[in-house]
């Protein structure tokens, strides 16, 4: 079974994340959306909210699981028997950052990282931009899936 994890904080889930997940499902038998917990980070949305956003967004996709984890991503991969890490790239800056992480993960274990380029129409979307729009009262509904829209 080709199992991949798609790790991140997803604070919040964006249409860019959804793009990578929806396209990744065609490549793997299962994708585990791995919501990382970092006690040093200040999140806009609670872990419970972020988990619910994911579960609701992908409730009709049986090949997707949503789990949370702490610690090293490669350790979580071992725990869930995943051989791949799926990552999205929006631009060259993402590539350089993600390349260093991928090389480190490969050094620590035999995990392969698979990169997908975000669709050009979504490549400008980031969670930090969405948080800024939300903080400033802007219309963020075109940047996130319906499960994230707070009523």
């Amino acid at each position: 079974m080709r199992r991949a994890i798609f790790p991140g904080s997803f604070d919040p889930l964006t249409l860019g994340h959804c793009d990578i997940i929806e396209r990744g499902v065609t490549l793997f038998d299962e994708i585990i959306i791995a919501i990382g917990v970092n006690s040093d980070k200040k999140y806009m949305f609670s872990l419970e909210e972020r988990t619910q956003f994911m579960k609701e967004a992908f409730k009709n996709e049986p090949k997707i699981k949503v789990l949370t984890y702490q610690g090293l991503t490669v350790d979580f991969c071992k725990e869930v028997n995943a051989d791949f890490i799926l990552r999205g790239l929006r631009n060259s800056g993402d590539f350089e950052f993600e390349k260093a992480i991928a090389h480190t993960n490969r050094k620590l274990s035999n995990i392969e990282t698979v990169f997908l380029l975000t669709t050009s129409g979504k490549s400008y979307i980031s969670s930090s931009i969405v948080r800024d729009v939300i903080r400033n009262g802007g219309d963020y509904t075109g940047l996130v899936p319906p499960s994230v829209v707070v009523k």
Side-chain angles (χ1 to χ4, degrees), residues 40-137:
D40 294 335
K41 228 176 170 183
K42 294 204 186 315
Y43 296 106
M44 176 175 272
F45 295 95
S46 70
L47 180 60
E48 294 75 22
E49 288 173 309
R50 291 178 283 139
T51 301
Q52 190 55 42
F53 294 158
M54 286 291 186
K55 287 183 176 179
E56 180 63 25
F58 297 103
K59 67 183 176 190
N60 295 322
E61 180 46 74
K63 291 171 63 174
I64 293 176
K65 283 186 188 176
V66 180
L67 299 174
T68 62
Y69 77 103
Q70 285 184 291
L72 293 176
T73 301
V74 292
D75 291 342
F76 183 68
C77 288
K78 289 176 194 166
E79 184 181 319
V80 298
N81 294 318
D83 294 315
F84 303 93
I85 296 172
L86 176 63
R87 297 299 293 161
L89 300 174
R90 293 169 297 169
N91 53 46
S92 59
D94 279 357
F95 174 73
E96 290 302 325
F97 177 75
E98 293 291 345
K99 180 176 74 166
I101 294 171
H103 285 311
T104 303
N105 287 339
R106 187 87 167 109
K107 183 79 170 168
L108 295 173
S109 71
N110 271 345
I111 198 83
E112 285 291 346
T113 300
V114 176
F115 297 111
L116 291 180
L117 297 177
T118 305
T119 305
S120 64
K122 296 180 178 91
S123 64
Y124 67 94
I125 303 171
S126 71
S127 292
S128 57
I129 288 173
V130 173
R131 287 193 305 271
D132 195 44
V133 171
I134 292 170
R135 271 191 213 99
N136 289 287

